[in-house]
């Protein structure tokens, strides 16, 4: 059903309120013939039915089929596909409130069939879609700019240190326990913090939700005495001089690494994140101090590490500005959708 497959196969994770232009999985004709899947034509609006993506939509730009966690909607001549795509994005909060189930909230295809959609004239729909397309296009361009900046950092890393998978430059290797002044697990806070808050090295706060997916803010009460690399219990890795401000949420289990003079904190942060992406084990659900201490770390000369750290800080400033523009454009998109669709609640 899978080996040698050529028929695009989609799962609900592709629905991220975005245009879907490719598939990562393919099934064979035999697999298709022995399933209940149906081909969805180009311009189908897909909506995810289950889990974290429930209620999110995708606009299909090619012919594909999908599993049971996706419902595809191909409107008739009364409604433009893109109009429906934007309207369902606007309706997601209401859709989420109607989800049923505990561990795996979901909606049904029957529910989707009964969503009420406002009917404007085709000309009005085209005007609305045109404006929302312009804003969405700007957001897409900014997201691509962010990806380009990330690739610049990755390219610079390879240029300076070679391929981390193979240690192609045959650089020294050591373990974090020899590269850090201390590695400690934090309960409410690690030992290496001060009661006095300053603007530097503020104590990081990670998300405490179902999925630990990033650094959400900085403590107003504590600061770490020195630059540090922080690793959450689920493997999220951050450097304490990065973004300040933002949403304050409860602190999850946190391991704090205070690097010594042999390792640059930014280099260590980026290296660990890179290894995590490669599936080296940094992203496991339960990390412990002994596990962190025994990981192998490639250790270039400190001058090269510092050069890389300065480059990352420079790129990060540019990326922060781009992310601020993304936030502003998303707010504008939300505002315009509320103007067009809010009166139909």
């Amino acid at each position: 059903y899978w080996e040698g497959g050529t028929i695009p196969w989609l799962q609900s994770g592709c629905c991220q309120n975005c245009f879907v232009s490719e598939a990562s999985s393919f099934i064979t004709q035999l697999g298709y013939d022995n399933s209940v899947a149906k081909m969805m034509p180009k311009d189908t609006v897909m909506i995810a039915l289950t889990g974290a993506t429930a209620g999110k939509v995708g606009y299909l730009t090619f012919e594909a089929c999908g599993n049971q966690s996706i419902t595809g909607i191909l409107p008739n001549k009364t409604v433009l596909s893109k109009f429906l795509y934007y309207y369902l994005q606007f309706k997601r909060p209401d859709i989420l409130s109607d989800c049923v189930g505990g561990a795996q909230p979901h909606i049904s295809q029957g529910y989707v069939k009964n969503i009420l959609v406002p009917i404007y004239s085709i000309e009005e729909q085209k005007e609305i879609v045109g404006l929302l397309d312009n804003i969405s296009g700007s957001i897409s361009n900014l997201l691509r700019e962010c990806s380009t900046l990330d690739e610049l950092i990755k390219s610079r890393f390879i240029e300076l240190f070679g391929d981390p998978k193979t240690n192609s430059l045959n650089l020294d290797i050591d373990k974090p326990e020899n590269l850090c002044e201390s590695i400690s697990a934090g309960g409410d806070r690690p030992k290496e913090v001060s009661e006095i808050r300053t603007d530097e090295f503020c104590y990081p706060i990670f998300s405490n939700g179902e999925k630990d997916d990033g650094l959400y803010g900085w403590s107003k009460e504590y600061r770490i005495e020195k630059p540090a690399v922080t690793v959450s219990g689920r493997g999220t890795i951050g450097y304490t001089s990065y973004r300040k401000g933002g949403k304050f949420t409860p602190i999850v289990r946190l391991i704090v690494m205070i690097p010594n003079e042999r390792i640059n904190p930014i280099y260590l942060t980026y290296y660990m994140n890179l290894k995590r992406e490669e599936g080296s084990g940094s992203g496991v659900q339960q990390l412990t101090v002994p596990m962190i201490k025994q990981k192998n770390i490639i250790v270039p000369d400190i001058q090269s590490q510092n050069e890389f750290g300065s480059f990352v800080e420079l790129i990060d400033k540019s990326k922060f500005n781009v992310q601020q523009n993304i936030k502003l454009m998303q707010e504008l998109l939300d505002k315009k959708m509320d103007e067009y669709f809010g009166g139909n609640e």
Side-chain angles (χ1 to χ4, degrees):
Y1 289 176
W2 295 94
E3 189 174 350
T6 58
I7 300 173
W9 175 263
L10 301 173
Q11 298 178 339
S12 60
C14 73
C15 296
Q16 297 290 343
N17 295 339
C18 64
F19 284 64
V20 179
S21 56
E22 61 182 3
S24 58
S25 299
F26 298 84
I27 59 173
T28 62
Q29 186 64 49
L30 183 63
Y32 179 78
D33 293 341
N34 284 277
S35 74
V36 295
K38 296 180 180 179
M39 293 302 293
M40 297 179 287
K42 179 177 178 292
D43 299 322
T44 293
V45 179
M46 301 179 295
I47 184 168
L49 301 181
T50 63
T53 54
K56 284 190 176 183
V57 295
Y59 190 96
L60 192 59
T61 63
F62 64 107
E63 189 178 42
C65 61
N67 66 14
Q68 69 273 17
S69 63
I70 295 176
T71 282
I73 310 166
L74 188 65
N76 58 29
K77 295 181 180 180
T78 307
V79 180
L80 299 175
S81 288
K82 279 191 179 180
F83 180 87
L84 180 63
Y85 164 74
Y86 287 119
Y87 179 72
L88 289 177
Q89 285 188 52
F90 172 77
K91 289 291 290 182
R92 189 178 185 233
D94 294 332
I95 293 171
L96 285 178
S97 67
D98 292 336
C99 281
V100 296
Q104 189 80 345
H106 63 275
I107 53 176
S108 66
Q109 188 180 96
Y111 174 90
V112 173
K113 288 180 178 180
N114 285 289
I115 294 174
L116 294 176
V117 180
I119 302 300
Y120 297 149
S121 71
I122 293 298
E123 289 306 312
E124 287 176 309
Q125 291 183 50
K126 287 180 179 178
E127 183 178 344
I128 291 170
V129 165
L131 191 145
L132 297 181
D133 268 352
N134 285 337
I135 301 173
S136 292
S138 296
I139 293 173
S140 296
N141 290 336
L142 290 167
L143 288 170
R144 280 193 290 271
E145 191 172 342
C146 269
S147 296
T148 300
L149 292 172
D150 287 336
E151 285 301 315
L152 277 176
I153 295 176
K154 191 170 184 178
S155 297
R156 186 60 172 158
F157 185 95
I158 299 296
E159 179 185 337
L160 287 171
F161 312 121
D163 186 350
K165 295 180 183 178
T166 60
N167 191 11
S168 57
L169 299 184
N170 198 29
L171 300 172
D172 291 341
I173 294 176
D174 208 336
K175 297 185 183 300
E177 63 179 350
N178 299 320
L179 299 170
C180 295
E181 294 179 14
S182 67
I183 302 175
S184 60
D188 293 331
R189 61 193 179 98
K191 292 181 294 185
E192 296 82 2
V193 299
S194 167
E195 299 292 339
I196 304 170
R197 180 178 181 269
T198 68
D199 289 333
E200 286 191 305
F201 314 139
C202 299
Y203 185 52
I205 302 174
F206 289 89
S207 63
N208 196 27
E210 190 174 287
K211 183 179 180 183
D212 180 10
D213 57 1
L215 192 58
Y216 272 52
W218 301 90
S219 169
K220 296 181 178 179
E221 299 177 15
Y222 307 119
R223 69 178 174 88
I224 293 177
E225 296 287 358
K226 298 179 180 180
V229 178
T230 55
V231 187
S232 77
R234 292 192 178 109
T236 304
I237 302 161
Y239 172 56
T240 59
S241 75
Y242 280 8
R243 309 173 189 90
K244 300 181 174 60
K247 178 180 177 183
F248 296 114
T249 58
I251 299 166
V252 298
R253 175 174 170 77
L254 191 68
I255 296 171
V256 177
M257 307 167 66
I258 308 292
N260 60 28
E261 69 281 353
R262 293 180 56 205
I263 198 86
N264 179 288
I266 298 177
Y267 168 82
L268 180 58
T269 300
Y270 187 80
Y271 179 84
M272 291 183 68
N273 272 312
L274 200 61
K275 296 298 288 183
R276 180 185 182 222
E277 291 173 8
E278 293 169 6
S280 66
S282 295
V284 297
Q285 286 288 312
Q286 294 298 324
L287 284 171
T288 64
V289 170
M291 290 169 65
I292 290 290
K293 284 183 176 180
Q294 292 303 309
K295 288 187 176 297
N296 287 326
I297 303 289
I298 294 175
V299 189
D301 65 271
I302 192 63
Q303 184 177 351
S304 297
Q305 292 183 48
N306 291 339
E307 180 184 339
F308 177 74
S310 297
F311 180 78
V312 171
E313 286 184 318
L314 184 65
I315 296 297
D316 193 66
K317 289 178 182 177
S318 299
K319 188 174 177 180
F320 179 77
N321 291 332
V322 174
Q323 288 170 333
Q324 290 298 104
N325 288 331
I326 291 173
K327 181 181 178 182
L328 291 174
M329 294 305 294
Q330 186 61 54
E331 289 174 352
L332 177 61
L333 182 64
D334 293 341
K335 179 182 177 182
K336 288 299 179 183
M337 287 196 294
D338 188 59
E339 287 179 9
Y340 296 138
F341 307 134
N344 297 285
E345 295 280 84

